[in-house]
């Protein structure tokens, strides 16, 4: 990997999800900031600029055998995410790269410039068996840097040519830019989009998801996709006990009114370093409610802040979690939102016939 460019955005820490860079859990040593009494600590804070780092990976489709995911392969053109969502379960993956899941996750973005060509190579293999690819299974494929790099659009163009089904997950209205490709694919039952809507409160959204689209913009995206005939669902995720879970029914109602046809809800997950980051954010942004929110989270996680176990990690356990699940199912029925959208079509998959290159002339005879 090599650093390609730095994109100045804001002054230090402005509009970032966290100001912390906790130690990488794989490192044998750690460094903690310390004020020596000369008030030099604040002066030493680095500017929170976005740095793009080239990823030289030679494969692009990630595989999963998790029994509770509902899909077996994903594709992520980016690692790290500038949206800065404080609760993001993907933050700990940055530690595998030698970076911190804190501010590094939001500012040191790994991009895969060869994503489209690598995908084409993998789909062209005779041994490849098609199954829906989830685009954005880990980090958002439409985070701000996509406007410049257009890696997600290039990936969609390949999937369109191969008639390969795709499910897109994003919290960005930027997905509308690729409505032309998604509309073509949707007409062949090859595409659907899931918008993540965590809250309808713009102030809470700005605090939790500082660089993501506003809730209103996400609903505009839902409506735009629906008008274009692109199946669109809404993920009310994550639901955070005592913080945004009271909005569950309102989120589903607004989503259905905008044109969503399916939905899901996922309880807050706080794996590895995310627990400490989220707790620090709560104490900093809403100290009067922090203890209550953390207590409710623990009530849904067997006394801990996180439960990594399959089948319970997305929904939680205990009375509070059970009530949240019951509320979701009732609201989904009330607003005619399906919990299991129709399957995408894998039977159309076909490798394009080469138009040039060795051997193509003989194919004419």
């Amino acid at each position: 990997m090599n650093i390609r460019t730095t994109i100045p955005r804001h002054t230090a820490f402005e509009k970032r999800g966290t100001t912390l860079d906790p130690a990488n859990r794989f490192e044998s040593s750690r460094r903690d900031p310390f004020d020596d009494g000369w008030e030099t600590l604040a002066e030493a804070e680095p500017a929170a600029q976005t740095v793009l780092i080239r990823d030289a990976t030679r494969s692009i489709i990630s595989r999963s055998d998790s029994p509770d995911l509902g899909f077996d392969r994903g594709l992520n053109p980016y690692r790290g995410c500038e949206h800065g969502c404080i609760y993001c379960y993907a933050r700990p993956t940055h530690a595998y790269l030698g970076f911190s899941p804190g501010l590094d996750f939001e500012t040191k973005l790994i991009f895969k410039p060869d994503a489209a060509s690598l995908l084409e190579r993998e789909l062209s293999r005779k041994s490849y068996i098609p199954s829906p690819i989830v685009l954005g299974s880990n980090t958002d494929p439409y985070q701000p840097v996509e406007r410049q790099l257009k890696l997600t659009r290039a990936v969609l163009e390949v999937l369109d040519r191969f008639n390969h089904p795709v499910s897109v997950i994003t919290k960005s209205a930027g997905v509308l830019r690729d409505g032309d490709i998604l509309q073509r694919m949707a007409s062949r039952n090859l595409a659907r989009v899931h918008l993540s809507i965590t809250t309808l409160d713009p102030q809470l959204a700005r605090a939790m998801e500082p660089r993501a689209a506003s809730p209103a913009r996400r609903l505009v995206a839902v409506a735009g996709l629906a008008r274009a005939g692109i199946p669109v669902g809404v993920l009310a995720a994550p639901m955070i006990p005592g913080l945004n879970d009271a909005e569950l029914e309102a989120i589903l109602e607004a989503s259905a009114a905008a044109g969503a046809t399916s939905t899901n809800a996922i309880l807050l997950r706080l794996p590895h370093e995310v627990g400490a980051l989220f707790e620090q954010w709560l104490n900093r942004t809403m100290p009067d409610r922090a203890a209550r929110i953390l207590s409710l989270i623990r009530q849904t996680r067997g006394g801990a802040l996180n439960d990594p176990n399959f089948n319970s990690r997305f929904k939680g356990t205990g009375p509070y979690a059970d009530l949240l699940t019951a509320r979701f199912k009732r609201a989904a029925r009330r607003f005619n939102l399906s919990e299991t959208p129709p399957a995408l079509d894998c039977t159309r998959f076909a490798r394009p016939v080469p138009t040039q290159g060795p051997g193509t002339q003989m194919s004419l005879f």
Side-chain angles (χ1 to χ4, degrees):
M1 296 188 298
N2 61 291
I3 297 179
R4 171 176 170 174
T5 186
T6 299
I7 304 176
R9 299 280 192 180
H10 301 274
T11 57
F13 305 130
E14 182 185 359
K15 294 183 180 178
R16 294 291 181 179
T18 182
T19 61
L20 302 180
D21 255 337
N24 186 315
R25 64 185 181 280
F26 299 114
E27 298 289 343
S28 58
S29 60
R30 58 177 291 171
R31 292 184 299 174
D32 292 315
F34 173 73
D35 194 331
D36 60 6
W38 290 91
E39 299 182 353
T40 58
L41 183 59
E43 296 174 6
E45 290 178 348
Q49 295 179 325
T50 297
V51 177
L52 301 182
I53 304 173
R54 185 187 182 94
D55 189 336
T57 184
R58 302 315 303 162
S59 63
I60 195 65
I61 299 177
S62 58
R63 307 280 178 161
S64 173
D65 58 1
S66 299
D68 54 358
L69 278 182
F71 61 89
D72 68 352
R73 64 199 70 181
L75 193 156
N76 297 281
Y78 306 100
R79 303 173 77 173
C81 185
E82 200 176 7
H83 281 160
C85 304
I86 188 59
Y87 52 73
C88 183
Y89 64 83
R91 284 181 177 272
T93 61
H94 237 44
Y96 295 114
L97 307 174
F99 298 131
S100 167
L103 193 61
D104 279 354
F105 179 79
E106 306 174 36
T107 58
K108 292 182 171 62
L109 305 183
I110 317 301
F111 71 102
K112 304 175 182 179
D114 301 322
S117 59
L118 290 172
L119 176 62
E120 183 165 3
R121 186 181 69 182
E122 294 195 35
L123 298 186
S124 296
R125 291 174 178 157
K126 292 183 179 180
S127 60
Y128 181 80
I129 300 175
S131 183
I133 287 177
V134 176
L135 184 54
S137 57
N138 200 48
T139 54
D140 203 307
Y142 288 100
Q143 56 182 288
V145 71
E146 168 63 15
R147 300 180 198 133
Q148 172 186 341
L149 299 182
K150 299 180 174 62
L151 300 182
T152 297
R153 183 172 180 86
V155 164
L156 287 174
E157 288 171 342
V158 172
L159 293 170
D160 186 22
R161 284 195 293 110
F162 278 77
N163 283 306
H164 193 292
V166 64
S167 181
V168 180
I169 299 177
T170 183
K171 54 167 55 77
S172 173
V175 67
L176 292 173
R177 181 202 64 187
D178 296 335
D180 57 335
I181 303 176
L182 292 168
Q183 186 179 46
R184 287 198 305 268
M185 297 184 71
S187 69
R188 309 194 300 274
N189 192 25
L190 295 174
R192 75 164 58 97
V193 177
H194 302 273
L195 267 292
S196 174
I197 300 180
T198 312
T199 177
L200 299 178
D201 181 344
Q203 292 184 333
L204 178 58
R206 177 55 62 91
M208 289 196 301
E209 311 153 339
R211 296 194 176 195
S214 69
R217 285 287 295 147
R218 291 180 225 182
L219 288 171
V220 167
V222 171
L225 293 167
R227 283 196 301 270
I230 302 165
V232 56
V234 165
L235 304 176
M239 285 288 100
I240 306 173
L243 182 58
N244 69 337
D245 60 327
E247 296 185 69
L248 176 59
E249 289 82 359
I251 292 172
L252 267 56
E253 181 177 16
S255 301
T261 57
S262 63
T263 187
N264 201 352
I266 298 176
L267 188 68
L268 174 71
R269 298 169 55 202
L270 297 173
H272 299 296
E273 297 88 349
V274 187
L277 289 169
F278 184 78
E279 187 170 359
Q280 187 270 351
W281 174 83
L282 269 180
N283 286 319
R284 174 169 55 88
T285 59
M286 47 192 75
D288 57 325
R289 301 172 59 188
R292 171 64 174 164
I293 293 170
L294 292 170
S295 174
L296 289 174
I297 293 172
R298 290 189 173 94
Q299 289 178 39
T300 66
R301 298 298 188 188
L305 285 180
N306 188 58
D307 173 11
N309 296 313
F310 294 136
N311 301 317
S312 61
R313 58 179 179 159
F314 294 143
K315 297 185 180 300
T317 58
Y320 199 99
D322 292 344
L323 178 60
L324 189 62
T325 297
R327 286 174 51 204
F328 166 73
K329 289 184 175 298
R330 180 177 179 180
R333 289 193 302 270
R334 177 183 174 189
F335 301 116
N336 198 29
L337 294 169
S338 170
E339 295 182 52
T340 54
L344 296 173
D345 189 357
C346 294
T347 65
R348 294 177 179 269
F349 176 75
R351 297 171 183 86
V353 176
T355 56
Q356 59 183 357
T360 55
Q361 287 295 322
M362 293 299 296
S363 67
L364 298 178
F365 297 95

